[in-house]
Amino acid sequence: MTDDLATLAAATARELAEARDLRTLEEVRVAVLGKSGRLTALLKALGGLPPEARRARGAAVNALKEQLTAAIEARRAALEEAALAARLGAERVDVTLPARPSALGLIHPISRTIEEIAAIFGAMGFALAEGPDIESDWHNFGALNIPAHHPARADHDTFYLPASAPGQPPRVLRTHTSPVQVRTMLAAPPPIRVIAMGRTYRADHDATHSPMFHQCEGLALDRALTLGHLKGCLIDFLRAYFALPTLPVRFRASYFPFTEPSMEVDIGWDRRSGEIGQGGDWLEILGSGMVHPKVLANAGIDPREWQGFAFGMGIERITMLKHGINDLRPFFESDPRWLRHYGFSPLAPALLHERV
Ligand code: PHE
């Protein structure tokens, strides 16, 4: 290497070592390899040399060009890596820090109750089941032993939708979550232990009724389930949900077309103060019973082999009772002031027993 090339090589090596960031590095590159860079000038000068001299000099200048290009790229890689390491160091997230309480976003009381119900029945071994809001007449009524013209259909104030095909009965917005019982039984053989929660619809609107509301359905089928299991399961649930270990619970004979025998379930409360678990009054809270043999047969299950219980309750109702909310309408009016008052922090998990 001639002296001028050695000098350029040494000067560039020093400048590269001194370049502490990518901008300075780029300046060095332009000064050497750019249009009017020092090495570019040497390449241009080759044209003025006699052919003999040009060959040797050309090889040397081009070798230096490759060497400097490689050195610049190596320096670039090192600087980029250092810049990334510095960023990663500065932006490190401490995942062990507690979450900052947020003023934004609260869990709606209905969602909160759904989480609590799932937690309590989940601990008892119930899985979650689902069904569509738009149901066939058969799933919502027929399979549940509510034939056409049965008075129970009138009680439900059903919203009807056009039939899926001519000649078929109209479809319905499900009036209860009980059709999920039928779907669950058709989907897989017993034993079954499920709860189903979701929207239900009835043409009804006042302070305690909304045309859209939510229900929770339960279904347990096995070879030897009895009324005793039904009672134990519901007493445990109600005491856990209301966080009152001695909550009085009463079972009262009733009628549903899809259970036999059927029972309405009441909890103890004080009618005047509204306090749950105190006082001498009873409040009806849910419907239940042993699954009717006809319903089992309709869903393809042999009633001589399998039996069990089912129950259904209104999610708004038990939410209003637990939290002392006395008007149902604001639940679905999306008023942020109401939600700020009654909503739950997303950071507070639903516990199985809050005071038990
Ligand atoms: N489906 C009934 C209702 O909506 C409740 C219920 C469900 C009763 C399961 C008994 C068994 O009123």
Side-chain angles (χ1 to χ4, degrees):
M1 206 187 281
T2 53
D3 284 358
D4 62 335
L5 297 190
T7 307
L8 178 55
T12 307
R14 199 174 51 245
E15 285 164 19
L16 286 179
E18 281 165 8
R20 295 260 163 260
D21 54 52
L22 291 164
R23 246 187 65 199
T24 320
L25 174 74
E26 182 60 10
E27 285 166 16
V28 174
R29 188 191 68 79
V30 169
V32 178
L33 298 173
K35 248 200 233 144
S36 28
R38 278 172 281 167
L39 191 107
T40 313
L42 297 178
L43 283 169
K44 282 183 189 158
L46 289 175
L49 294 178
E52 299 303 278
R54 194 191 301 161
R55 188 175 304 146
R57 176 74 174 170
V61 173
N62 274 305
L64 180 60
K65 183 183 176 185
E66 263 169 44
Q67 180 194 324
L68 293 184
T69 306
I72 289 167
E73 288 320 307
R75 185 68 182 147
R76 186 192 308 282
L79 287 175
E80 277 172 355
E81 203 173 301
L84 180 63
R87 241 185 79 191
L88 288 177
E91 293 176 4
R92 193 169 47 209
V93 175
D94 182 352
V95 294
T96 66
L97 284 175
R100 262 180 235 134
S102 160
L104 296 170
L106 291 167
I107 304 289
H108 192 284
I110 292 297
S111 303
R112 172 68 179 198
T113 298
I114 287 175
E115 282 176 18
E116 291 177 3
I117 295 174
I120 296 167
F121 281 111
M124 293 189 211
F126 283 74
L128 289 172
E130 283 182 331
D133 289 15
I134 298 176
E135 266 298 5
S136 73
D137 188 273
W138 185 77
H139 285 95
N140 194 80
F141 294 121
L144 291 163
N145 199 29
I146 314 175
H149 312 301
H150 190 283
R153 291 200 179 206
D155 294 346
H156 281 207
D157 296 309
T158 311
F159 286 109
Y160 287 95
L161 297 168
S164 53
Q168 293 293 312
R171 288 171 301 164
V172 301
L173 287 181
R174 65 178 180 190
T175 59
H176 51 175
T177 40
S178 300
V180 185
Q181 285 189 41
V182 179
R183 291 183 175 276
T184 305
M185 291 188 277
L186 288 170
I192 290 171
R193 249 193 267 182
V194 293
I195 53 167
M197 294 184 276
R199 285 190 265 273
T200 47
Y201 306 83
R202 293 183 197 181
D204 218 348
H205 203 190
D206 59 36
T208 55
H209 295 88
S210 149
M212 188 283 298
F213 58 106
H214 297 76
Q215 280 194 342
C216 169
E217 191 84 14
L219 172 67
L221 284 184
D222 212 318
R223 293 181 193 277
L225 287 177
T226 68
L227 266 184
H229 296 105
L230 182 165
K231 292 175 72 176
C233 173
L234 289 177
I235 291 171
D236 277 359
F237 165 74
L238 290 168
R239 290 183 174 166
Y241 174 75
F242 287 106
L244 295 170
T246 57
L247 176 70
V249 180
R250 178 175 81 170
F251 291 80
R252 187 163 38 78
S254 183
Y255 170 78
F256 296 101
F258 33 89
T259 48
E260 181 60 34
S262 302
M263 297 188 297
E264 223 111 33
V265 185
D266 302 338
I267 56 172
W269 79 320
D270 186 286
R271 189 184 299 278
R272 261 174 304 171
S273 69
E275 195 169 345
I276 307 241
Q278 309 287 328
D281 302 315
W282 292 103
L283 182 65
E284 179 191 319
I285 196 137
L286 62 91
S288 67
M290 300 304 289
V291 181
H292 198 295
K294 277 194 189 161
V295 173
L296 295 174
N298 287 341
I301 291 175
D302 185 350
R304 288 163 305 184
E305 203 181 328
W306 302 99
Q307 62 182 39
F309 59 87
F311 54 88
M313 64 188 144
I315 293 181
E316 283 77 2
R317 183 164 171 75
I318 64 169
T319 305
M320 290 167 77
L321 288 170
K322 181 166 175 174
H323 303 294
I325 306 173
N326 47 34
D327 192 346
L328 173 66
R329 286 166 292 201
F331 273 80
F332 308 117
E333 283 171 356
S334 301
D335 185 334
R337 291 167 301 179
W338 184 87
L339 187 60
R340 236 173 275 134
H341 186 80
Y342 288 111
F344 291 86
S345 163
L347 302 176
L351 303 175
L352 292 188
H353 305 270
E354 279 165 87
R355 278 191 280 143
V356 180

